[in-house]
Amino acid sequence: MRPANPPRRFALRSPRSIAALGLGVTVLLTGCGSDYPLGEAQKEGAKANTSDLRGTLTGGGSTAQNAAMNAWTTGFSVLHPKVQVQYASVGSGAGREGLLASATEFAGSDAYLKDEEVQRSQQTCGPGGAINIPAYISPIAITFNLPGISELNLDADTIAGIFNRDIRSWQDPAIAKLNPEVELPDVPMTVVARSDDSGTTENFTEYLHSAAPKVWKYEPDGSWPNDISLEKAQGNAGVVTTVARTEGTIAYADDSLVDATLGKVKLKVGDEFVEVSGEAAALAVAESKRVEGRDTHDIALELDRKTTAPGAYPLVLVSYLLFCSSYEDPQTVELIKTFGHYVVSDEGQKIAADSAKSAPMPDSLAKDANAAIDSIDVLGAN
């Protein structure tokens, strides 16, 4: 039950407070204190720009969003040179905690806020709580390090068997059957998962839970099941680094961080094997529905992990920007809305796709996202 008079949103805490809340790092910003922290490009942009918008926004969260966020903050700074958007790439769980504890003004998360988190957010964001705005669509790659092998065909049951450790050999009959023309090596299989609370993990385990229920016995969760013994690494970057340095390793990670030196799994969807790509991920998202029981402007999506739509890749994450539905400071509202609209605009989605291999949002989803951002208001204004 929410309090009768939800407390007002307090001023942003310092980076020291953020670290104490578990964000783990201070806010990332180059050249702090400079009018043009991104250098000459921003300075030249300022000379040709008439924007009077000024101030600072601080957020943190999803490591999957990091490449896109770097592109967004850079592009936004050229349009609005007097605004600094700071983002700490510390994982979705830490990002949500930062927003809910008033340590940041927005968060990036690869999983939408759960019902209990929405209720808790009313203490931070006023009666309307926080809202989920889809911003970044990206497939989750299953990546591996087997020299000479660039791709493998796997189905959901086999993937689940690998990650619950029922399958421990690259020459296991289940893998061999799906890859009859591949000479599978006799090397130890090392399986890697995220060590931090991760939206990537939650999306991956949600896929396994839905698509391989007879093999994967665990509920979807942002934290890896404690009773499955395997290697762990921090963040998407840490996982990919671990795979790259150890032959025989397999893991899941945001596809934007997996380069051509590593192999990738083609996922069995219906009767075909689908290569990981932004376009295939977008097809899967187009099959999604809104989560029931949410506010009109809370765009939490229920993905169909069992889709058989031709060319769709259902092992996908929709990463959200989490905003308060209201803020105490009118300037913060203006900054949040302007930045939010930029992220979901055609330009914002294009630079994210160019830098992070993400898929631009479907037009209908972008329209809903813009309407949701428009609804953000000053606390107590209505």
Side-chain angles (χ1 to χ4, degrees):
M1 180 179 296
R2 66 179 174 86
N5 297 297
R8 296 170 69 80
R9 182 168 176 84
F10 297 104
L12 181 68
R13 298 182 186 180
S14 68
R16 181 175 299 175
S17 299
I18 296 173
L21 286 162
L23 288 183
V25 296
T26 53
V27 174
L28 304 179
L29 182 65
T30 303
C32 186
S34 167
D35 287 337
Y36 309 107
L38 297 176
E40 286 301 314
Q42 186 180 14
K43 186 175 181 179
E44 291 303 313
K47 293 178 180 178
N49 196 289
T50 59
S51 172
D52 291 327
L53 194 66
R54 65 177 64 232
T56 300
L57 288 178
T58 303
S62 165
T63 64
Q65 275 191 38
N66 195 45
M69 187 62 70
N70 287 338
W72 288 329
T73 55
T74 300
F76 189 74
S77 72
V78 173
L79 296 175
H80 305 283
K82 297 174 184 177
V83 179
Q84 296 180 12
V85 182
Q86 308 173 83
Y87 185 80
S89 176
V90 291
S92 297
R96 292 195 302 274
E97 182 61 29
L99 177 68
L100 296 177
S102 292
T104 58
E105 291 155 314
F106 73 95
S109 177
D110 304 336
Y112 58 77
L113 291 164
K114 297 180 176 65
D115 289 342
E116 57 269 24
E117 291 176 312
V118 173
Q119 185 175 20
R120 180 182 165 195
S121 73
Q122 292 171 339
Q123 300 177 16
T124 301
C125 299
I131 54 177
N132 300 278
I133 309 291
Y136 174 80
I137 297 171
S138 180
I140 298 171
I142 301 173
T143 181
F144 57 87
N145 182 346
L146 294 175
I149 302 176
S150 61
E151 63 181 31
L152 287 173
N153 295 332
L154 294 179
D155 57 23
D157 283 350
T158 304
I159 295 166
I162 291 171
F163 281 88
N164 71 10
R165 307 306 284 124
D166 285 346
I167 295 175
R168 294 175 175 265
S169 168
W170 284 108
Q171 296 180 327
D172 187 279
I175 300 176
K177 182 179 180 181
L178 294 168
N179 299 275
E181 298 181 0
V182 178
E183 186 175 345
L184 296 165
D186 183 15
V187 297
M189 177 185 283
T190 301
V191 184
V192 183
R194 289 279 290 271
S195 61
D196 51 323
D197 187 325
S198 156
T200 308
T201 297
E202 184 163 345
N203 279 272
F204 181 58
T205 56
E206 182 182 278
Y207 166 75
L208 296 178
H209 177 76
S210 178
K214 294 181 179 179
V215 182
W216 187 259
K217 304 300 183 182
Y218 303 89
E219 292 293 321
D221 201 291
S223 297
W224 193 256
N226 289 327
D227 60 341
I228 301 178
S229 180
L230 40 60
E231 295 289 324
K232 291 184 178 180
Q234 176 82 18
N236 278 291
V239 167
V240 173
T241 298
T242 302
V243 176
R245 71 187 182 201
T246 309
E247 185 176 340
T249 302
I250 185 170
Y252 59 92
D254 186 270
D255 185 52
S256 66
L257 296 180
V258 183
D259 63 25
T261 65
L262 297 176
K264 295 183 183 181
V265 166
K266 294 176 72 174
L267 201 63
K268 189 172 185 182
V269 179
D271 294 325
E272 64 177 333
F273 289 95
V274 179
E275 183 178 352
V276 56
S277 72
E279 293 76 15
L283 286 173
V285 172
E287 301 287 309
S288 66
K289 298 179 180 179
R290 298 273 287 268
V291 174
E292 295 182 356
R294 295 299 181 96
D295 182 83
T296 302
H297 296 301
D298 187 331
I299 314 175
L301 299 176
E302 203 74 65
L303 297 170
D304 181 4
R305 304 296 187 178
K306 296 186 287 187
T307 181
T308 57
Y313 186 91
L315 182 47
V316 58
L317 65 82
V318 176
S319 198
Y320 299 85
L321 288 181
L322 310 182
F323 295 142
C324 283
S325 58
S326 60
Y327 294 85
E328 184 179 63
D329 180 20
Q331 182 188 33
T332 301
V333 172
E334 184 179 15
L335 290 171
I336 283 285
K337 292 173 76 167
T338 307
F339 179 63
H341 281 307
Y342 173 74
V343 166
V344 302
S345 70
D346 289 344
E347 179 182 352
Q349 291 294 292
K350 184 179 185 304
I351 65 169
D354 291 344
S355 63
K357 299 190 293 186
S358 60
M361 286 194 294
D363 290 343
S364 60
L365 187 58
K367 181 179 179 181
D368 288 347
N370 276 300
I373 294 165
D374 279 335
S375 74
I376 298 170
D377 207 346
V378 178
L379 187 62
N382 293 320

